[in-house]
Each structure stands twice: as C-alpha cells, then as structure tokens.
Amino acid sequence: MKFTGTDNYVSTDDLSMAVNAAVALKRPLLIKGEPGTGKTLLAEEVAASLGMPLIQWHIKSTTKAQQGLYEYDAVSRLRDSQLGNEKVNDISNYIRRGKLWEAFDADEQVVLLIDEIDKADIEFPNDLLVELDRMEFFVYETGETVKAKKRPIIIITSNNEKELPDAFLRRCFFHFITFPDRETMQKIVSVHYPDVSKQLVAEAMEVFFEIRQIPGLKKKPSTSELIDWLKLLMADEIPDEILKNRDASKAIPPLYGALLKNEQDVHLLERLAFMHRRESRG
C-alpha cells in the first residue's frame, strides 16, 4: 500500500514520496516544518489511509524516554506490601507500559506518532536510539525482552525548537514540509470548506500571503490560522468587498486575532499603516 494523501489531507508528491520511502526503508520518518503545516495530522491520515491503528505519544518538556518504554511504580508496590496485598508477589503488576511498548506489542502493524520531539531534553532522542534501531528493549524488573511483533511505522515531528543529535538524525528519513504555495493552499481550503465562496477565498488568501511577506513578523500566520480565519469570515458573513477594497492605511485585517498571535506583530502592522498614512498625506 502506498500513501498518496486522503480526502481530508492534501499531500504533495514529495511528502507522499517521503512517507513511502520511510516505510520501504523501515526507518522513522522525521517531519519538520512551520507550526500549523499539518505535521501531526499527517500521522493521523497515514494511519487512516493504510488502515492501521494510530498510537500517539505527545512529548512535553518533562517527558523522559523511559516513559515511552515503561515505568516501574515502586511506591505503589511498597504501599501494597505494607498492607499485605498479595499483588506484591508479581512485580509485573507495577509495570506501566509506555507508548513504544504498546506499539511493539500490537498484533497488527500500527502507526506510532512521536509528536514534537524537540520539546524534550536534548538527550531524549539519543535515549531511544537502540530501541528504535533494534525494535526491542529489556525490562530490568521482570527480566523480559520486549520485541516488536510487527515493526510500527514511526512518524516523528519537530518544530525545530532545538537541534537533534546527529546519531539520531542518521537513523531517520527526513522531510521538511515547505509552506504551501497558493495552488496547494487552494486545495487545502477546498478540503475544509468545499462550498466556500471562491471570491472570498481569493481575497482572503491575498491578505494572508501579503501578511506572511511582511519582514519582521515574530510569527507568520500558518495554514491552520488561515483555515480558522476563513471559518470566522464565513460565520460573520464578512463581504468579499471588505477584503478586496481594504484601506491600506488600516493594515489590520478584520478578525485579525485568528491570524496574528502576539502584540508585537499587531503593533508592527499598526506602524506600517501609520507610515502609509503619513506617505499618503505627503
């Protein structure tokens, strides 16, 4: 089976090729790109397209690699031993399986998403090298070796918040999701809102790409923010003309809170509008 995108996800040819290459090579697929470009959604749609279950491991700054394998709850065992509970005789009662164990133990092939790996400590990726390479790990408390019944398709996402170790990168197939061009963006919008006014989309995208091109923006609006903005424009029944005939001296677009996510960028657009007004008077 080959991934070519789904009815809910527009996949470019190079992205589909990357997914299928990673599957063929039996290597984790490392996906980077701007926030909001559909990295996490990709794993969901790959699983749906290939008819496989999806196991998601969302990484936080406090997440340790060991948690993906298993955790031993020594405190609960100590408490049960003090209470005379017979459970203490079987140490496996206090082993909590992690997402990797869950994926390795599945009877059918699954898609495993390791989401936003760059949020964790710098040593996190290196701590998973052997397990992702050999598709097995050792449980010291019980003396068992857990081996993958079926090699999972592993998709790892990163927002580039920190550099990943070279040893980890060597074991991955890498793909960077470039920001969609207008044609691809049009297809993405059509997937979400098939009945939206073409004129509204055209004018909204004009404003959207103009904002993205403004130098000095702290956070450029992403695909997901354009989708949210269009939803609001439709809900509030904003006429196409308001966007088409917008006043350049009022650089802030209507319902800008869906596009701009910090006060610095709002102030930047306000300053540009002010400068435009001064030039117009001159």
Side-chain angles (χ1 to χ4, degrees), residues 37-261:
T37 48
K39 299 187 296 297
T40 301
L41 186 59
L42 172 66
E44 298 175 11
E45 296 304 321
V46 167
S49 173
L50 302 181
M52 297 178 184
L54 174 66
I55 295 175
Q56 303 186 55
W57 186 15
H58 298 288
I59 307 303
K60 301 177 182 179
S61 60
T62 55
T63 304
K64 302 298 181 186
Q66 181 64 31
Q67 294 171 309
L69 308 178
Y70 70 92
E71 291 182 276
Y72 170 52
D73 191 355
V75 174
S76 292
R77 192 180 187 207
L78 175 61
R79 184 180 62 245
D80 286 347
S81 67
Q82 293 170 338
L83 297 173
N85 194 321
E86 291 185 2
K87 281 175 59 180
V88 298
N89 297 321
D90 185 357
I91 198 170
S92 65
N93 289 323
Y94 304 94
I95 301 290
R96 296 177 182 173
R97 298 184 177 193
K99 296 295 183 181
L100 257 72
W101 191 333
E102 190 179 331
F104 286 6
D105 202 43
D107 292 323
E108 57 183 319
Q109 190 175 27
V110 303
V111 174
L112 172 64
L113 168 65
I114 304 178
D115 197 29
E116 299 189 329
I117 194 171
D118 52 324
K119 278 188 176 180
D121 183 86
I122 189 64
E123 290 304 318
F124 179 93
N126 280 339
D127 290 342
L128 289 176
L129 285 180
V130 174
E131 290 76 12
L132 295 180
D133 232 9
R134 298 182 182 174
M135 287 286 123
E136 65 178 48
F137 62 89
F138 185 71
V139 183
Y140 294 94
E141 288 78 6
T142 62
E144 65 179 308
T145 298
V146 177
K147 295 185 178 182
K149 295 178 181 177
K150 301 276 188 180
R151 176 181 283 268
I153 296 173
I154 301 174
I155 297 178
I156 303 170
T157 70
S158 168
N159 286 326
N160 253 351
E161 290 184 11
K162 61 171 71 84
E163 288 296 320
L164 298 174
D166 289 344
F168 179 78
L169 294 174
R170 281 199 302 272
R171 288 164 169 81
C172 297
F173 189 93
F174 171 75
H175 182 76
F176 182 86
I177 297 182
T178 55
F179 197 81
D181 57 24
R182 290 181 185 241
E183 183 181 349
T184 305
M185 189 67 82
Q186 185 81 48
K187 293 177 182 177
I188 293 171
V189 169
S190 297
V191 164
H192 288 270
Y193 308 121
D195 301 322
V196 67
S197 160
K198 291 183 179 179
Q199 187 62 36
L200 176 62
V201 172
E203 301 301 340
M205 283 179 54
E206 194 67 32
V207 174
F208 174 78
F209 280 103
E210 276 183 15
I211 292 176
R212 279 188 57 86
Q213 289 170 0
I214 294 174
L217 278 182
K218 187 173 182 181
K219 185 194 180 307
K220 296 180 180 181
S222 67
T223 308
S224 61
E225 279 136 10
L226 173 61
I227 299 301
D228 288 345
W229 189 45
L230 278 169
K231 183 177 182 180
L232 289 174
L233 291 175
M234 290 187 293
D236 282 19
E237 298 180 347
I238 301 292
D240 307 344
E241 291 75 20
I242 288 184
L243 298 179
K244 184 176 182 181
N245 303 318
R246 64 192 181 280
D247 186 351
S249 65
K250 298 175 182 176
I252 308 294
L255 301 168
Y256 68 85
L259 294 175
L260 304 174
K261 298 301 182 181

Side-chain angles (χ1 to χ4, degrees), residues 3-4 11-23 29 173 175:
F3 176 73
T4 57
S11 177
T12 57
D13 290 341
D14 58 340
L15 176 56
S16 297
M17 193 180 298
V19 172
N20 295 319
V23 172
L29 173 62
F173 189 93
H175 182 76

